[in-house]
């Protein structure tokens, strides 16, 4: 069965540094991968989507890479700020029927200290 | 509306009670999804609607779970004879649907606690 792994331990970094979060998956070749941010007591918020034929995608301070050979995506936040503290979820589209059927990882909690 | 809304935000039920959770997607969004999120886990897919048609219900844990979207807008997730293992946050998400690949717009969730 499909397995998506994200670091279960919280990632603690200092303000201004680059945070790098990892998403590894097995047994599937998704057409695309998404990253979401989730704050306590709230629903996930969509951040970025990267397709299988894209190596890298950027949006402001965010950068996502997608290596289909390694079956891995890396999510970077540059010049991190305390406001970036949240749980970050990666999600793969498991559907082959034309609609999205997302499978989420367990998420990695990021803590940015001043 | 401006975003996806869900009600109630919190629901406490006694074991064996039936509950109904409501989702108001973004106006005009064709696709609607329900997820279940246990504490410390990522959301797990329950079911998907395209307009009023329920095209995938493979994630519903048992026949006690039922979802509907009769007019293609508001959706209700119903859980009959609730059990303690049903305690979780239930999330609703919507997308414009049609051609294209979308990020999903999530509501704030309903936290269900079954005593």
């Amino acid at each position: 069965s499909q397995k998506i792994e994200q670091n279960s331990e919280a990632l603690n970094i200092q303000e201004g540094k680059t945070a790098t979060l990892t998403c590894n998956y097995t047994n599937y070749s998704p057409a695309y991968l998404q990253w979401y941010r989730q704050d306590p007591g709230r629903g996930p918020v969509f951040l970025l989507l990267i397709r299988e034929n894209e190596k890298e995608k950027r949006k402001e301070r965010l950068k996502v890479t997608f290596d289909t050979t390694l079956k891995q995506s890396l999510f970077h936040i540059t010049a991190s700020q305390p406001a970036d503290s949240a749980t970050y979820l990666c999600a793969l589209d498991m559907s082959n029927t034309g609609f999205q059927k997302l499978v989420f990882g367990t998420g990695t909690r990021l803590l940015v200290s001043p | 509306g401006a975003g996806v809304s869900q009600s109630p935000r919190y629901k406490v039920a006694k074991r064996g009670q039936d509950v109904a959770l409501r989702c108001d997607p973004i106006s005009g969004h064709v696709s609607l999804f329900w997820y279940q999120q246990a504490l410390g886990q990522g959301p797990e897919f329950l079911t998907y609607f395209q307009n009023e048609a329920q095209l995938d219900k493979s994630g519903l844990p048992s026949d006690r779970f039922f979802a509907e979207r009769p007019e293609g807008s508001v959706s209700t997730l119903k859980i009959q004879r609730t059990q303690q293992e049903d305690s979780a946050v239930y999330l609703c998400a919507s997308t414009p649907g049609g051609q294209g690949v979308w990020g999903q717009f999530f509501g704030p969730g309903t936290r269900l606690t079954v005593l």
Side-chain angles (χ1 to χ4, degrees):
Chain A
S1 61
Q2 177 58 230
K3 192 174 178 183
I4 302 171
E5 290 183 348
Q6 294 187 255
N7 287 351
S8 56
E9 292 182 10
L11 177 64
N12 290 275
I13 64 167
Q14 226 173 355
E15 184 175 9
K17 301 292 185 184
T18 296
T20 298
L21 287 69
T22 305
C23 176
N24 294 297
Y25 61 93
T26 59
N27 299 337
Y28 195 70
S29 298
Y32 59 90
L33 183 149
Q34 301 186 10
W35 283 89
Y36 289 79
R37 168 185 174 140
Q38 187 171 27
D39 291 282
R42 298 188 172 222
V45 174
F46 171 72
L47 296 175
L48 279 168
L49 178 153
I50 186 165
R51 300 173 191 272
E52 60 178 340
N53 60 352
E54 296 175 316
K55 296 293 185 188
E56 182 180 297
K57 200 88 170 273
R58 290 176 185 261
K59 178 183 175 184
E60 298 172 353
R61 294 184 297 111
L62 308 180
K63 184 178 87 171
V64 172
T65 63
F66 192 10
D67 189 325
T68 55
T69 302
L70 291 178
K71 294 188 182 295
Q72 180 182 78
S73 175
L74 299 179
F75 177 81
H76 307 272
I77 306 176
T78 58
S80 60
Q81 304 166 1
D84 295 326
S85 298
T87 295
Y88 291 86
L89 299 157
C90 72
L92 305 182
D93 178 21
M94 301 298 290
S95 172
N96 57 5
T97 59
F99 76 89
Q100 292 178 337
K101 187 170 182 177
L102 296 182
V103 175
F104 284 83
T106 55
T108 298
R109 198 155 74 104
L110 172 67
L111 298 170
V112 181
S113 43
Chain B
V4 178
S5 60
Q6 293 187 246
S7 60
R9 289 295 316 277
Y10 304 90
K11 177 70 178 177
V12 178
K14 290 184 180 178
R15 186 167 163 238
Q17 281 185 331
D18 297 349
V19 298
L21 312 180
R22 177 187 168 108
C23 171
D24 283 82
I26 293 173
S27 178
H29 276 196
V30 167
S31 299
L32 185 145
F33 308 82
W34 282 99
Y35 294 86
Q36 180 190 62
Q37 187 173 25
L39 193 63
Q41 302 296 313
E44 288 199 12
F45 172 86
L46 294 178
T47 188
Y48 161 71
F49 289 87
Q50 182 174 302
N51 295 306
E52 69 279 3
Q54 189 176 21
L55 298 187
D56 189 320
K57 55 181 180 179
S58 61
L60 296 176
S62 75
D63 58 8
R64 296 186 295 104
F65 287 70
F66 173 76
E68 60 183 5
R69 193 186 185 198
E71 296 178 358
S73 54
V74 170
S75 177
T76 304
L77 176 67
K78 297 179 180 177
I79 309 174
Q80 297 177 325
R81 305 181 303 281
T82 52
Q83 305 292 315
Q84 284 189 322
E85 61 262 28
D86 300 335
S87 295
V89 174
Y90 290 86
L91 294 163
C92 175
S94 69
T95 69
Q99 295 295 321
V101 174
W102 310 92
Q104 296 190 3
F105 295 85
F106 280 83
T110 294
R111 181 176 296 278
L112 173 65
T113 303
V114 181
L115 303 177

